[in-house]
């Protein structure tokens, strides 16, 4: 899929093969099989051009990644635990991207309302429990 997206136009097996062969040795039939599998899975469409096909991505790379994540998540017997584990694997940059994505999906009204009504939990906890020990037992 990476090569099909890279070309950003319908491509032939031969074009993908020549592109890949710049980096490693690979057989024509391997590329043809992979593109055929992608076609059967619905990730690329193809049109006949002479004796060959031209393959084109059906969706964007971000949509493809989202579908893969959704598929993996939906197969979990405990989706919440899977998300916690996934978020734990994220870099700080990825967590920022996730926060930005949630803000976009929620829309500006929801994000602003949440910011206006969200308490400063650390300050609220200190005010409500002035005699409580600091987190970690205070030792």
């Amino acid at each position: 899929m990476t090569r099909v997206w890279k070309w950003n136009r319908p491509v032939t097996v031969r074009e993908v093969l020549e592109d890949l062969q710049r980096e490693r040795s690979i057989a024509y039939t391997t590329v043809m099989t992979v593109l055929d599998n992608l076609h059967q899975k619905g990730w690329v469409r193809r049109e006949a051009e002479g004796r060959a096909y031209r393959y084109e991505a059906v969706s964007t790379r971000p949509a493809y990644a989202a579908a893969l994540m959704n598929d993996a998540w939906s197969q979990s017997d405990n989706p919440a635990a899977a998300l916690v584990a996934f978020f734990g694997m994220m870099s700080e940059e990825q967590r920022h991207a996730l926060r930005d994505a949630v803000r976009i999906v929620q829309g500006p009204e929801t994000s602003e309302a949440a910011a206006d009504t969200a308490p400063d939990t650390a300050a609220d906890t200190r005010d409500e429990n002035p005699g409580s020990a600091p987190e970690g037992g205070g030792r």
Side-chain angles (χ1 to χ4, degrees), residues 40-91:
Q40 290 188 28
K41 291 179 180 184
W43 289 106
V44 296
R45 65 178 144 257
R46 67 183 181 193
E47 285 190 32
E49 183 178 281
R51 293 178 23 186
Y53 286 109
R54 283 205 172 268
Y55 294 86
E56 181 176 21
V58 170
S59 66
T60 64
R61 188 177 200 141
Y64 177 77
L68 289 175
M69 289 187 286
N70 187 58
D71 185 48
W73 184 49
S74 67
Q75 292 180 31
S76 173
D77 61 346
N78 188 340
L83 284 174
V84 169
F86 179 63
F87 297 156
M89 294 177 195
M90 292 177 141
S91 67

Side-chain angles (χ1 to χ4, degrees), residues 6-133:
K6 177 184 165 190
W7 284 78
N8 200 27
R9 65 167 175 78
V11 294
T12 64
V13 172
R14 176 76 50 206
E15 289 172 322
V16 175
L17 173 70
E18 289 171 0
D19 191 24
L20 287 168
Q21 284 181 332
R22 292 182 194 151
E23 297 171 17
R24 65 180 188 267
S25 177
I26 188 166
Y28 181 92
T29 54
T30 301
V31 177
M32 183 175 63
T33 299
V34 169
L35 284 169
D36 185 59
N37 288 342
L38 291 170
H39 175 255
Q40 290 188 28
K41 291 179 180 184
W43 289 106
V44 296
R45 65 178 144 257
R46 67 183 181 193
E47 285 190 32
E49 183 178 281
R51 293 178 23 186
Y53 286 109
R54 283 205 172 268
Y55 294 86
E56 181 176 21
V58 170
S59 66
T60 64
R61 188 177 200 141
Y64 177 77
L68 289 175
M69 289 187 286
N70 187 58
D71 185 48
W73 184 49
S74 67
Q75 292 180 31
S76 173
D77 61 346
N78 188 340
L83 284 174
V84 169
F86 179 63
F87 297 156
M89 294 177 195
M90 292 177 141
S91 67
E92 188 62 29
E93 182 178 319
Q94 290 169 321
R95 284 192 292 276
H96 284 294
L98 175 63
R99 285 187 205 103
D100 291 344
V102 169
R103 283 188 204 107
I104 290 167
V105 170
Q106 289 178 335
E109 300 83 29
T110 307
S111 297
E112 290 170 10
D116 291 342
T117 60
D120 178 357
T121 55
D124 289 349
T125 303
R126 284 191 303 272
D127 292 344
E128 291 174 6
N129 303 313
S132 64

